[in-house]
Amino acid sequence: MAERLSARQAIAALTGATPAGAPAAFTELPAPKYTAAPDGPLGWPGYDESRARAARSTGEEESVVCGTARVGATEAVLISFEFGFLGGSLGERTGDRLEAAYTLARERRLPVVSLTATGGSRMQEGMRALLQLQRVARQSALTRAAGLPQIAVVRDPTTGGGWATLGAGADVVLALPGAQIGFAGSRVRPPDADPYAYTAEAQLTAGHIDAVVRPEALPDTVDHWLTLLTGGPGGPAVTAADPPAALGHAEPPATGWDAVSMARDPERPRAEAYLDAYFTSREAVGGDRCGGVDPGMLCGFGLHDGRTVAYAAQCGTATLPAGYRTAARLIRLADRLGLPVLTLVDTPGAANDAEAERAGAGAAIADLFAAVATARVPVTSLLIGEGGSGGALALAAPGNTWATPDSYFSVIAPEPATAILKRPPEETRTTAAQLKLRPQDLLSLGVIRGIVPPAPS
């Protein structure tokens, strides 16, 4: 089980301030005025006394503390839950504070960082408490529409409506090791439920959070994320990203089959090498938020020449539906934040087995096509290896796709094309030539803008 910090200790740990008391760097928002009937809206016997005991034990008047502070170099609105106050539950007063925090973020154009630790809606306030989830969801949506990033740091435990709004609804979701996470709280789960399914590690595996971060690494990680999501040290600049330099062969292939062979060379540089060469630092987003992760699709944000560029990169494997959905999520997030996108195309094609079909391959590819087509920010694409049919084209920017010398793009791979044409296998090389799939062919056909050279030595 992860260590449970108080709301103010969590803020202090994130900002690097002194843990005791209110951090000096933290400016707390005044609590909105609230008039309550005795024992709350339901007249729940003993509710007022329960609140008074919680206030005495925690030193807080509500289950959430809100204010502004600097996390590294970036000022942000912080929302921190006090689990010791009635299980960090959300009531009407909690909703008042959360709405005030989101409103301040929009007024001052600040990102929002929530440090969640909550058991969900407060039973003693009944449906009046549950309605706060709609209120929080609206405030989050308004903040998203304003182009402001939201980061959730999920502490132990985070369940119920708090997870389904402030946690899972954030742009980037980080979790502490061992944190209990799930819509169902520990006392309402089925008796035979696998307890591992409700952990940060399981949520990461299922693609519902982006990373599990050790407490000591959290300040630097959130600082880095805030820098990236706000455009980098130089601020956002919505100009197209330059395509990376070629890292492999310098000369284009002589024949179509040479192009295929060079792209399939196991020694050819892959996405990781291109990302490492292009970015000075980067952070990954993981998972499609639908229960899937594709290790063959790398997505995230990185710093290039002091500016943030979002990236989605295929790794040379058949892309899974989860990969396409993750890339679409990444592109839409970059579009909301006004950040340019770089995509690296390298796949023999979309995964086409029965499991991929059950996971919605067609719908996932369609969604990525739509995300690229409707992006208001510039998208730059570089073909770095195999460009296998629509599974590769979905990640390519119309009118702004480049290619390395050791790559190819084709409507279909030469082998299945040969089979479809009912030609003998020995004619595969002839078919490769006829498909006009070499980089120089793609350039003459107007499919790509150019062939990128190697970086200057």
Side-chain angles (χ1 to χ4, degrees):
M1 181 181 295
E3 180 185 3
R4 289 182 178 175
L5 301 178
S6 71
R8 295 180 191 273
Q9 286 174 331
I11 293 171
L14 182 64
T15 59
T18 304
F26 178 67
T27 303
E28 187 172 354
L29 270 72
K33 293 183 179 180
Y34 181 88
T35 302
D39 283 330
L42 303 186
W44 188 285
Y47 178 43
D48 285 345
E49 177 53 31
S50 295
R51 285 184 53 87
R53 285 197 303 270
R56 289 193 296 270
S57 64
T58 64
E60 305 294 348
E61 296 179 354
E62 237 324 316
S63 60
V64 69
V65 176
C66 303
T68 60
R70 285 196 172 274
V71 181
T74 306
E75 187 176 10
V77 168
L78 301 187
I79 296 169
S80 187
F81 278 77
E82 176 55 69
F83 190 77
F85 193 102
L86 301 179
S89 56
L90 281 77
E92 286 190 290
R93 294 185 188 184
T94 321
D96 290 342
R97 294 186 177 208
L98 293 174
E99 184 173 282
Y102 278 109
T103 300
L104 179 66
R106 295 193 296 275
E107 289 173 349
R108 295 184 54 186
R109 303 292 303 168
L110 297 177
V112 177
V113 179
S114 60
L115 305 165
T116 61
T118 170
S121 301
R122 192 168 299 168
M123 291 184 301
Q124 296 93 330
E125 295 186 20
M127 282 300 300
R128 292 279 286 273
L130 191 65
L131 290 177
Q132 303 311 305
L133 303 184
Q134 294 176 328
R135 191 177 181 188
V136 173
R138 172 173 167 75
Q139 291 302 315
S140 178
L142 291 173
T143 304
R144 187 179 301 111
L148 299 170
Q150 300 174 64
I151 298 175
V153 177
V154 185
R155 298 151 56 206
D156 181 60
T158 295
T159 61
W163 165 238
T165 52
L166 289 138
D171 298 318
V172 173
V173 185
L174 311 175
L176 295 179
Q180 298 178 64
I181 305 173
F183 187 67
S186 59
R187 297 184 183 181
V188 297
R189 298 168 190 162
D192 58 347
D194 177 9
Y196 178 74
Y198 303 88
T199 64
E201 291 73 15
Q203 297 284 358
L204 178 65
T205 300
H208 299 308
I209 67 175
D210 295 296
V212 174
V213 183
R214 301 187 316 277
E216 62 271 20
L218 194 61
D220 288 342
T221 301
V222 176
D223 176 21
H224 195 208
W225 265 116
L226 288 171
T227 299
L228 290 169
L229 297 180
T230 54
V238 189
T239 55
D242 297 326
L247 300 179
H249 292 276
E251 297 299 326
T255 69
W257 187 249
D258 287 342
V260 175
S261 299
M262 289 165 63
R264 293 177 178 174
D265 183 351
E267 300 302 318
R268 172 181 57 80
R270 306 283 166 153
E272 285 274 13
Y274 277 92
L275 296 175
D276 287 344
Y278 192 78
F279 293 113
T280 53
S281 63
R282 55 190 170 98
E283 295 284 352
V285 302
D288 64 358
R289 298 300 189 263
C290 298
V293 173
D294 182 1
M297 179 75 81
L298 304 179
C299 295
F301 295 84
L303 287 179
H304 175 71
D305 291 339
R307 303 281 187 175
T308 301
V309 176
Y311 65 85
Q314 291 168 319
C315 297
T317 56
T319 304
L320 305 177
Y324 292 115
R325 284 192 286 262
T326 305
R329 177 169 80 91
L330 181 280
I331 291 169
R332 290 193 173 105
L333 175 55
D335 193 50
R336 289 203 309 270
L337 300 179
L339 302 173
V341 178
L342 170 70
T343 68
L344 301 180
V345 180
D346 184 11
T347 180
N352 58 5
D353 57 6
E355 183 57 35
E357 293 299 337
R358 282 192 290 268
I365 295 169
D367 190 43
L368 180 55
F369 268 119
V372 174
T374 58
R376 295 162 296 179
V377 295
V379 181
T380 302
S381 299
L382 178 63
L383 175 67
I384 64 170
E386 291 194 82
S389 193
L393 188 66
L395 201 61
N400 197 25
T401 293
W402 304 72
T404 62
D406 50 359
S407 65
Y408 80 87
F409 219 141
S410 180
V411 64
I412 190 172
E415 295 90 344
T418 302
I420 291 172
L421 294 170
K422 298 182 179 180
R423 294 174 174 177
E426 55 266 25
E427 291 191 25
T428 299
R429 293 175 181 241
T430 300
T431 305
Q434 292 176 320
L435 286 169
K436 300 295 184 183
L437 47 69
R438 300 175 302 167
Q440 57 267 46
D441 298 326
L442 302 173
L443 184 59
S444 65
L445 290 169
V447 175
I448 62 172
R449 287 187 60 181
I451 302 172
V452 296
S457 57

